[in-house]
Structures are given as structure tokens and as C-alpha cells.
């Protein structure tokens, strides 16, 4: 298997934030069900520090993770932050006692969430805030003007540098763009779930990042005979092939796979650098079509 000598995919610029296309998602650092503290506190700090040591400059988080757990871990592990490191967070949902993700998208909800993220991360301004829409089942149609205008107002106040949307429909992406510039869209997308193919291509033409969450299938890991066959042929793991496919799918795709283990983080980085041939890509492309 052939891997690139550094982080795969090079860099991408979101507004004035230049980040590595291979990033890290902090959600898995919280406890089971993304609730409570990690079982291995020191191990969680080690993963974050290793990500920066590897050269990763894009960390994705949310104050809803835990809640309040991953942001505090990031601050403990990495503050004061390297100038090159950019932390992306999201607002629009909170956690309830049952571990659910009820929406919290009134203007006051949004303002409170931004304040919470600023305090927990220990910064004066957030690099990028995504407005999370829909629910756990996926995007849902409906207007986003009220919460997104609240975010745009906080941006004008200097508390946020850049804006994005998450779990959004195509229509909601367009509505957000009519209110304020966005630099990224964060939606469910992977080798087997490809509803956003046209959106990715449009955003690439507009130089807007697309950040797939659950790039490896999330709570139900990707399974496919074609994926396994390509992986066996390349002497690689199926998950490595799935990450590499995303890196080669479009230059505006930024990856944020999560893990709570240093060894797994290193495996993800190496796997995403796998170079797939035209035949490999054609075989894999058939999975989600």
C-alpha cells in the first residue's frame, strides 16, 4: 500500500483559516453515548496532543459533547493553542438527562452556546461555528434565518470568525449563504451514503469546504463486499480504503474521523493517505450509487 509522506490531502483554506484536510473529531473523547468524562482522562489528552504533533491543524468539537467534556479536554491538553491550530465547534443542540440531543436554536440559545464554547475553550473568539440543524434522524426542511442571523450578529461583534452549517438540506445551505458567507458544510456523507454528491461539487466550485461526519459509517461501520475486496487487494483495512476514497472524492472534502486511542489516530492518518487507482475508485463508486 502506498501512503503519502505527510498528512494526506494537503491543506484547504476556509475563509482565512488554512487547515489540514485530514483533521480530528473530538466527539469520541467523551464517555459512552457522548455523555460524561472519558474512562481514560490521560489517554484523551494524549490523543489531542498526538494530533497536534502529527501536524493536524483542524479539530472539530462541540460544547454539547459530554456536555462540556471535550472542550475542557481540548483546553487542558493544548492551551495556549498553537497559532496554526483551528478549533471548529457547533451550536444548535444540547443534551438532556436521557442522552438525547434536543434542538436549542432560539437566538438566546445560540448566544448562550457561543458564550459556553468561548469560556470552555478559553478563547476570545471562535474560529468557526457551525449551526446544527435537523435532528438525530438527519436534515429536516425548515427556515434557519432566526438562529443563523444571531450567529451572523455575533460574528459582526468579533466573537466568531467564520460560519458554517451542519446537518443541513441544500435549501438551508442556500438560505444561510443569503444571510452571511459560509466557509463549510458539515453533513452525513460516506462511501455508502452519497445524497450530497451534487452539493459537494457545487461547494467545490465555490471554494467552500465539505466536512463529512460519520465518514466511516458512525455507529454502524461501513460494510460492503466491494469495499472488502478492494481492501484485500491493497493489503489495507476497509476503513483505510473508505477514508482514502473520501480524500480522493473532491479536494474540498475535509476529514474529521474521531478516536480515543493514539494508535488508532495514527492508523487513520496512514489509511487516509492510501492512493487508490482509477479501477479501485470505479469499483468503490458503485457502492453508493
Amino acid at each position: 500500500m502506498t501512503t503519502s509522506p505527510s498528512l494526506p490531502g494537503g491543506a484547504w483554506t476556509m475563509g482565512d483559516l488554512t487547515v489540514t484536510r485530514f483533521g480530528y473529531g473530538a466527539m469520541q473523547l467523551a464517555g459512552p453515548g457522548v455523555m460524561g468524562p472519558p474512562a481514560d482522562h490521560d489517554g484523551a489528552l494524549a490523543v489531542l496532543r498526538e494530533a497536534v504533533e502529527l501536524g493536524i491543524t483542524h479539530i472539530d468539537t462541540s460544547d454539547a459533547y459530554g456536555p462540556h467534556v471535550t472542550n475542557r479536554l481540548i483546553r487542558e491538553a493544548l492551551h495556549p493553542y498553537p497559532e496554526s491550530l483551528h478549533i471548529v465547534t457547533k451550536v444548535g443542540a444540547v443534551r438532556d438527562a436521557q442522552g438525547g440531543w434536543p434542538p436549542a436554536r432560539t437566538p438566546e440559545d445560540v448566544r448562550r452556546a457561543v458564550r459556553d464554547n468561548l469560556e470552555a475553550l478559553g478563547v476570545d473568539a471562535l474560529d468557526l461555528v457551525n449551526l446544527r440543524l435537523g435532528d438525530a434522524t438527519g436534515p429536516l426542511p425548515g427556515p434557519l434565518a432566526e438562529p443563523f442571523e444571531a450567529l451572523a450578529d455575533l460574528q459582526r461583534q468579533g466573537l466568531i470568525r467564520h460560519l458554517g452549517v451542519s446537518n443541513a438540506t441544500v435549501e438551508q445551505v442556500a438560505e444561510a449563504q443569503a444571510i452571511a458567507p459560509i466557509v463549510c458544510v458539515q453533513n452525513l456523507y460516506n462511501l455508502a451514503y452519497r445524497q450530497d454528491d451534487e452539493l459537494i461539487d457545487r461547494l467545490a466550485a465555490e471554494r467552500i469546504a465539505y466536512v463529512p461526519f460519520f465518514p466511516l459509517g458512525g455507529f454502524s461501520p461501513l460494510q460492503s463486499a466491494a469495499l472488502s475486496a478492494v481492501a484485500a487487494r491493497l493489503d489495507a483495512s476497509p476503513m483505510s480504503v473508505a477514508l482514502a476514497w473520501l480524500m480522493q472524492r473532491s479536494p474540498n472534502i475535509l476529514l474529521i474521523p474521531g478516536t480515543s486511542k493514539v494508535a488508532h489516530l495514527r492508523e487513520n492518518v496512514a489509511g487516509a493517505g492510501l492512493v487508490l487507482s482509477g479501477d479501485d475508485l470505479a469499483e468503490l463508486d458503485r457502492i453508493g450509487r
Side-chain angles (χ1 to χ4, degrees):
M1 103 187 197
T2 305
T3 57
S4 51
S6 57
L7 285 172
W12 182 267
T13 299
M14 299 188 288
D16 61 356
L17 310 176
T18 297
V19 299
T20 49
R21 285 186 63 209
F22 189 95
Y24 172 72
M27 185 175 74
Q28 290 189 30
L29 294 183
V34 202
M35 291 290 284
D40 182 358
H41 181 91
D42 290 344
L45 301 181
V47 170
L48 289 162
R49 290 168 180 152
E50 179 68 13
V52 172
E53 284 293 315
L54 289 170
I56 288 170
T57 63
H58 175 195
I59 292 179
D60 181 84
T61 185
S62 170
D63 211 43
Y65 297 161
H68 315 300
V69 169
T70 60
N71 280 357
R72 291 172 181 168
L73 289 168
I74 290 168
R75 182 174 184 173
E76 182 180 352
L78 302 175
H79 196 277
Y81 305 113
E83 189 174 339
S84 61
L85 180 66
H86 299 297
I87 299 172
V88 177
T89 190
K90 66 182 69 65
V91 300
V94 292
R95 306 304 303 279
D96 60 27
Q98 292 72 44
W101 302 80
R105 291 193 284 268
T106 69
E108 182 50 38
D109 288 333
V110 167
R111 288 189 286 267
R112 183 186 307 110
V114 167
R115 288 195 300 268
D116 288 347
N117 277 277
L118 287 166
E119 180 179 355
L121 290 168
V123 294
D124 296 325
L126 299 169
D127 283 331
L128 197 166
V129 176
N130 287 307
L131 175 64
R132 184 185 187 273
L133 300 161
D135 62 18
T137 67
L140 296 172
L144 56 66
E146 194 173 64
F148 200 75
E149 285 171 354
L151 282 179
D153 184 57
L154 293 168
Q155 183 183 38
R156 287 189 290 270
Q157 294 175 37
L159 298 178
I160 302 171
R161 294 174 68 183
H162 299 287
L163 303 176
V165 291
S166 176
N167 207 28
T169 66
V170 171
E171 293 76 18
Q172 287 165 337
V173 172
E175 184 183 0
Q177 288 180 292
I179 294 169
I182 64 171
V183 300
C184 80
V185 173
Q186 190 178 99
N187 275 5
L188 171 60
Y189 182 84
N190 54 51
L191 186 56
Y193 187 94
R194 300 185 55 182
Q195 278 80 343
D196 275 355
D197 271 334
E198 290 184 11
L199 177 61
I200 289 170
D201 294 339
R202 175 170 76 77
L203 294 174
E206 298 175 15
R207 298 293 299 172
I208 294 172
Y210 185 93
V211 185
F213 62 75
F214 292 158
L216 299 176
F219 300 110
S220 301
L222 294 173
Q223 295 184 19
S224 160
L227 177 60
S228 297
V230 172
R233 192 163 65 238
L234 297 176
D235 190 26
S237 73
M239 297 302 98
S240 293
V241 173
L243 289 175
W245 178 84
L246 284 166
M247 295 301 289
Q248 291 179 233
R249 165 63 181 83
S250 182
N252 67 321
I253 287 181
L254 313 183
L255 295 190
I256 50 167
T259 179
S260 60
K261 304 292 184 184
V262 167
H264 188 214
L265 173 65
R266 293 173 181 155
E267 289 171 7
N268 281 345
V269 173
L274 182 71
V275 177
L276 304 175
S277 70
D279 288 344
D280 296 331
L281 292 171
E283 188 170 347
L284 294 169
D285 278 344
R286 289 195 288 272
I287 294 173
R289 293 201 181 279

